[in-house]
Every structure is written in C-alpha cells, then in structure tokens.
Amino acid sequence: MARVGRLAGALLASTEGAFFLVGDLKEPCDWAAAGFEPPAQLPGVELPFVRLSPVRPVEVAAPLLVMELEGEALARLLFERLVIRRNGSVSERLWRLVTEHEARPETDARWLGLVPGHVWDLVRDSVLRCS
C-alpha cells in the first residue's frame, strides 16, 4: 500500500520503495532534514511529479492517505486529482476534502483511484469554485 503525505506544501508519495514529489512546493524545503537529495528539477505545471532520492530512511508524516495504486501511476493520479492545473500547486480544499472527512492521522483513500475521471472533474470543479 502506498502512503501519501505532504512535504513543503507538495504531496509526498511513498510507493514500492520509491518516493515521488507531486505538485509545486509552497514553502522552502530543507531537503537534508526531510531525508532527500535536492531534485534536479521541481514539479509544477510543466512537470507534474519528480522521483526523489532518499539519503536515509524516510517516514511519510501524518496526516496521510493510504492508497492501493502504486508507482508513477499513483503520482500521475495524485496530480490529476489534487493539483490545481493552472499553477501546479496542491489544492488545500481538495486535500481537506479527502483527508478531513474522517479526522484521523491516516485516511483510507483507495476510493480516490476508483472514482471515474469525469465524475471527479465535477467534484473538483465544484470544490475549486466555492469561495
């Protein structure tokens, strides 16, 4: 099972022994303290995700999502479902929608990968339009 948390405002996915950073950073990141080498390029609008190289064992901090999908397919799905396309940043509204309905440190979000894309787009548009 993959685990997805946050790192400097972006999404950090731990999947099959690999780590992916999804979406643009919202704050500076101390890569050494986080346990990673700085990536050559950061994700954003043009580059949805990057693979990170850990320099020590890394635990994804809570709150986090538990998902069944793995690898680059997971990183791609996270970008499609939780990132604002026009600026490459993770939507706090969408993140809260997925994580806070249970108010637990760990949320079973396997359903997120099962929702058809056209249905999620309706939810996404509605959530992002709210003020």
Side-chain angles (χ1 to χ4, degrees), residues 26-119:
K26 292 185 177 182
E27 57 194 57
C29 183
D30 182 344
W31 295 105
F36 298 102
E37 291 181 16
Q41 190 175 4
L42 292 173
V45 176
E46 300 295 320
L47 181 66
F49 59 87
V50 295
R51 190 174 185 146
L52 296 176
S53 299
V55 294
R56 63 173 168 76
V58 175
E59 288 282 326
V60 178
L64 57 89
L65 307 177
V66 176
M67 300 189 67
E68 226 167 50
L69 194 59
E70 299 278 356
E72 286 190 14
L74 171 64
R76 196 170 298 105
L77 177 84
L78 292 170
F79 183 82
E80 292 168 0
R81 301 290 163 101
L82 300 174
V83 173
I84 300 169
R85 293 177 186 119
R86 66 180 156 72
N87 66 14
S89 294
V90 175
S91 165
E92 296 305 320
R93 290 179 186 172
L94 292 170
W95 175 255
R96 283 192 308 269
L97 174 73
V98 175
T99 59
E100 288 186 3
H101 70 281
E102 294 183 21
R104 290 192 236 168
E106 189 172 293
T107 300
D108 182 345
R110 290 179 286 184
W111 60 269
L112 189 59
L114 301 175
V115 174
H118 67 279
V119 173

